Amino acid sequence: AGKTTFLKLLDGLVKPDEGAVTYSFNTKTALVLHHTPMIKASTRTNMGIVRDADASITAEDIDHVIAQVGLNELASNPAHKLSAGERQKLCLGRAILQKPNLVLLDEPTANLDPNATEQVEDLIRQFHQQGADVIFSSHQLAQVQRLADHIIFIDQGEIKEKGPVGPFFSNPQTQAAKRYLHQELLSE
């Protein structure tokens, strides 16, 4: 549908073929992609990679965020051997260290078990509580209803519908959204 490309456009990682991406506020973004590779080093070292972009991040900051995301026990373990949920928490920890005002998340709980999903959703809520806006992509309708205030429905590379979450689910305006919701709700 173009969800990952949309997030990369918002982050500036990809430039649009035509048009421009502009904001009505100054942005400091943090992008967490679905598959983020880890270097063959400890969890702590992988977390600290963000210091390359922001030298003001201290070792104490890193230790604090490692505890915040629940990776204290695994701080010395090789990051490339972490579970999918643990890796996602590490990536969210990197985002926390960047102190963004716009967090972009690509399928943040894909392939995670229910416990890891709940932990990641709690971290997503913390971004919002700390004043950051969060834009995330998800196929999980229940998760969208739990976490989102507004929705952008993308179908075949085009924004087909946008607005508050409640009306989208109760009364979708486009055939594409109606079809998607009908198919997804039948398969759940």
Side-chain angles (χ1 to χ4, degrees):
K3 298 178 304 299
T4 302
T5 301
F6 178 66
L7 292 173
K8 288 178 179 179
L9 281 165
L10 292 176
D11 188 54
L13 200 58
V14 172
K15 300 296 178 208
D17 293 336
E18 44 184 81
V21 176
T22 59
Y23 295 94
S24 61
F25 57 94
N26 290 330
T27 60
K28 181 175 182 187
T29 61
L31 172 64
V32 177
L33 296 172
H34 176 57
H35 296 291
T36 303
M38 301 290 153
I39 60 171
K40 289 188 177 182
S42 70
T43 297
R44 179 176 281 107
T45 299
N46 272 270
M47 183 79 72
I49 285 175
V50 296
R51 290 175 86 177
D52 293 345
D54 183 352
S56 72
I57 296 170
T58 66
E60 292 79 24
D61 294 334
I62 292 167
D63 289 339
H64 174 77
V65 171
I66 285 173
Q68 181 180 346
V69 299
L71 294 175
N72 252 352
E73 305 287 321
L74 303 169
S76 299
N77 291 20
H80 68 282
K81 293 188 177 182
L82 296 175
S83 72
E86 293 159 349
R87 283 181 183 215
Q88 193 65 336
K89 290 192 283 185
L90 190 157
C91 291
L92 290 169
R94 286 179 184 161
I96 291 166
L97 285 167
Q98 295 173 57
K99 297 182 177 81
N101 61 353
L102 179 60
V103 182
L104 307 166
L105 306 172
D106 185 25
E107 298 282 347
T109 60
N111 304 319
L112 301 186
D113 64 43
N115 186 47
T117 295
E118 185 177 333
Q119 292 170 354
V120 167
E121 286 183 2
D122 285 343
L123 290 170
I124 293 168
R125 286 183 192 95
Q126 286 179 32
F127 280 116
H128 184 70
Q129 291 165 355
Q130 294 168 359
D133 291 315
V134 178
I135 298 175
F136 69 96
S137 65
S138 181
H139 289 282
Q140 299 175 23
L141 298 179
Q143 179 178 66
V144 170
Q145 289 177 310
R146 281 192 305 274
L147 295 177
D149 295 324
H150 289 83
I151 192 163
I152 298 171
F153 177 69
I154 301 173
D155 184 43
Q156 298 181 4
E158 292 182 21
I159 295 174
K160 300 286 181 159
E161 198 164 329
K162 60 185 177 178
V165 168
F168 174 80
F169 284 99
S170 64
N171 188 23
Q173 299 301 299
T174 63
Q175 282 305 116
K178 289 176 185 175
R179 187 172 47 255
Y180 178 75
L181 289 171
H182 180 72
Q183 288 172 346
E184 287 300 308
L185 293 174
L186 284 179
S187 66
E188 287 184 349

